[in-house]
Amino acid sequence: MPDYGQLALISMIVHLAFIIVTWWALQALNIDKWIKAGKVIQARVLLILLTIAIGSIVSNFFLDYLLWSQQLPTLF
C-alpha cells in the first residue's frame, strides 16, 4: 500500500520546484513593452498566474511520468 504522506510531500516539493524554475525562466522575458501605462500591478499578477499555470502543468507531467514508470513493472 502506498504511503500517501510521502506522495503528498513529494508532490508539493515538485510543484514548488517547477513553479520556482518557471518564475526564473519567465524573468528572461521583456514584458515592459506589453504593459500599458499604470497597469504594472495587473501585469505582475498575470505573470504570477502564468508562472503557477505553467509550473503546475510541467510538474503534473513530471509526476505522472514518475507514477507511470513505477507502474510499468506490473506489466510484466
Side-chain angles (χ1 to χ4, degrees):
M1 184 165 159
D3 188 9
Y4 293 111
Q6 285 181 342
L7 184 61
L9 182 63
I10 290 171
S11 295
M12 289 171 61
I13 291 171
V14 168
H15 273 80
L16 286 175
F18 277 108
I19 286 172
I20 290 169
V21 169
T22 304
W23 177 259
W24 172 76
L26 286 177
Q27 295 303 307
L29 293 178
N30 185 10
I31 62 168
D32 292 339
K33 53 185 158 185
W34 297 333
I35 299 173
K36 293 182 181 180
K39 303 291 183 176
V40 176
I41 294 175
Q42 286 96 338
R44 288 185 184 176
V45 169
L46 178 63
L47 190 60
I48 290 170
L49 293 175
L50 188 61
T51 299
I52 292 170
I54 294 172
S56 294
I57 291 169
V58 174
S59 63
N60 281 332
F61 170 77
F62 178 78
L63 290 170
D64 285 343
Y65 197 82
L66 180 66
L67 179 67
W68 295 333
S69 68
Q70 289 174 347
Q71 292 174 347
L72 197 57
T74 62
L75 182 64
F76 302 108

